Amino acid sequence: MRYRTIGDGRTSFDVSTLCLGTMNMGTRVDEDTSFAILDRYLEAGGTFLDTANNYSYWAGGHGRDSEDLLGRWLASRGVRDDVRIATKLGAAKKDPALPLQNVEPTNFQGLGADVIGYEAHESLRHLGIDHIDVLYGHVDDYDTAIAETVGAFGKLQAEGVVGITGISNVALWRVVEAREEAQRQGIAPYGLVQQNFTYAYPTPEPGRHNWASYELLDYAASTGVDGRPPLAVTAYSPILQGAYVRRDKPLWDGFDHPTTRERIRLLHEVAGELGATPNQVALAWLLGGEHPVVPIIGPSTLEQLDELLGAADLELDAELRARLDAA
C-alpha cells in the first residue's frame, strides 16, 4: 500500500492511496462478508474508509446502514485510531415519504446550516466515534448560500467534530467560490472534492457536474503552495462499477460511445501484456497520472478486494501510459 497526505492548510494527515467505499455494506453485502473485507483491507495497509448518511435507500436500506456497520466493526476491532473515516451529508431524504433520485425532484435535504449540524452529529452517533476525519457535502446545493454552507462546516471544525471538509458532485466554479468564501470567513477551506472519475470519460453534457474534469484536476494540482491551501480529488466508481470486465454490465448514461469501447479494448490489451487485470490497469492509470487522484474502490467480495489491492503497486511506464492516454 502507498500513502499520501491530504489537508486543508490547517489540518492534514496521511491516507492510503486506495480508499475503501462501504456503500453496499450492511445491505447488498452482508455483515460477515463486510467485516472480512474491512479486516483484509486493514491488514493490507488500507487506512481510508468512505461512507454516507444515505446508503442504501435504493437497496432496501434506511440510509445509515453502512455507517452503522462501520460503527460495529470499529467497536469490535478497536481500530479507530488506525483509520480515517469520511462520510457525507446533504443527500439523504428531505421527505421520508418520497423517493430519493438523481433527477428532479431529487428530494435531497440540502446543505443548510441546520442540516449540516444535525446530520454530522447523527453520523457521530451511528459511527460510534467522537470526530469525523473527513465530512463532505454529498451533492451541491444551489438553494443555500455558499456562505451558510461553508460557515456551518467551519463551525463543526471549530468544535473539533470534523477534521477536513469537502464537497462532492459539484461544478468547479462552486469549489473555487466556496474556498474563497472560507478565506473571507477566516476558516479552513474544502480540502477534498469527490467526483466520478475513471479511465473512460462521458460525453460533455450541460449540467453534468459530477465528473472530475481536467480543469478541476489542474486546479487541484495548483494548490498546496503559499496562499493556496491544498485540495485533493477522490474518485468514485473508478472501475465503472465493473463494466471494464463484465460484458453484461451496462455502461452508465453518457459513457456508451465508441471511445469508451476502444478504451475498454485497450485496457484488456495492456492488462494482458502486464499480467494484470483491466481493473488494476484502470486504477494504476488514476494513481500514477500527472494529477493523481485517490480512487474509492467498492468490492463486494474478498476476491474482488484482493484484485483491486493489486493496483496499489502496479507501475505503468511512460510508453504504456502514452498508449492509454491516446485512445
Side-chain angles (χ1 to χ4, degrees):
M1 186 62 70
R2 301 183 186 186
Y3 303 88
R4 65 174 290 181
T5 301
I6 59 174
D8 58 16
R10 300 187 184 185
T11 300
S12 66
F13 44 77
D14 290 343
V15 295
S16 54
T17 54
L18 288 176
C19 177
L20 182 64
T22 65
M23 180 173 71
N24 293 322
M25 292 185 179
T27 49
R28 289 175 172 163
V29 182
D30 65 74
E31 184 149 325
D32 288 344
T33 302
S34 297
F35 274 36
I37 290 171
L38 288 160
D39 289 342
R40 180 76 60 86
Y41 174 73
L42 188 65
E43 291 166 3
T47 64
F48 199 10
L49 304 174
D50 185 270
T51 185
N53 72 344
N54 73 339
Y55 296 154
S56 286
Y57 281 124
W58 46 89
H62 58 71
R64 293 188 182 271
D65 305 79
S66 62
E67 285 189 338
D68 288 337
L69 184 139
L70 280 177
R72 292 191 295 273
W73 178 76
L74 290 168
S76 69
R77 302 304 194 256
V79 294
R80 173 64 183 99
D81 292 339
D82 299 326
V83 294
R84 299 294 183 176
I85 298 173
T87 193
K88 312 176 201 71
L89 50 74
K93 286 185 177 184
K94 184 175 183 179
D95 184 341
L98 298 176
L100 189 70
Q101 55 194 14
N102 290 327
V103 297
E104 295 294 337
T106 58
N107 194 28
F108 294 148
Q109 284 182 314
L111 298 176
D114 289 346
V115 169
I116 291 172
Y118 176 80
E119 293 296 329
H121 285 88
E122 279 295 285
S123 287
L124 291 175
R125 184 171 68 84
H126 282 264
L127 288 161
I129 59 180
D130 61 8
H131 71 281
I132 299 165
D133 298 298
V134 174
L135 182 64
Y136 295 97
H138 203 159
V139 178
D140 193 17
D141 177 8
Y142 282 78
D143 295 327
T144 299
I146 284 179
E148 179 180 343
T149 298
V150 168
F153 279 125
K155 181 180 178 182
L156 291 173
Q157 289 174 302
E159 294 171 353
V161 171
V162 172
I164 300 170
T165 62
I167 189 69
S168 183
N169 300 301
V170 62
L172 174 57
W173 75 268
R174 298 274 292 178
V175 177
V176 175
E177 174 60 24
R179 281 166 58 88
E180 290 178 348
E181 175 60 29
Q183 288 186 312
R184 288 191 287 269
Q185 293 190 27
I187 59 180
Y190 292 148
L192 287 168
V193 177
Q194 184 176 136
Q195 300 283 87
N196 180 211
F197 193 51
T198 182
Y199 174 58
Y201 52 85
T203 53
E205 295 179 16
R208 182 190 289 277
H209 297 314
N210 66 334
W211 178 250
S213 68
Y214 290 105
E215 288 82 2
L216 170 62
L217 297 176
D218 197 46
Y219 172 68
S222 76
T223 65
V225 297
D226 288 345
R228 296 176 70 81
L231 179 73
V233 177
T234 55
Y236 69 81
S237 299
I239 56 172
L240 212 58
Q241 293 196 324
Y244 292 137
V245 294
R246 288 181 51 187
R247 297 190 182 277
D248 63 316
K249 193 83 172 181
L251 293 168
W252 278 5
D253 180 45
F255 283 90
D256 193 0
H257 53 77
T259 301
T260 296
R261 288 186 282 278
E262 171 57 18
R263 287 202 151 198
I264 292 175
R265 185 200 67 78
L266 190 56
L267 280 179
H268 283 257
E269 180 178 287
V270 170
E273 295 172 12
L274 294 175
T277 70
N279 286 335
Q280 289 171 340
V281 174
L283 290 172
W285 182 84
L286 291 169
L287 288 167
E290 181 181 0
H291 304 321
V293 303
V294 178
I296 302 169
I297 57 174
S300 298
T301 66
L302 282 173
E303 292 75 18
Q304 290 174 358
L305 174 63
D306 287 339
E307 176 202 0
L308 301 178
L309 289 173
D313 57 2
L314 179 62
E315 297 283 354
L316 300 176
D317 63 29
E319 185 274 330
L320 285 178
R321 183 166 290 280
R323 280 171 58 194
L324 290 165
D325 289 346

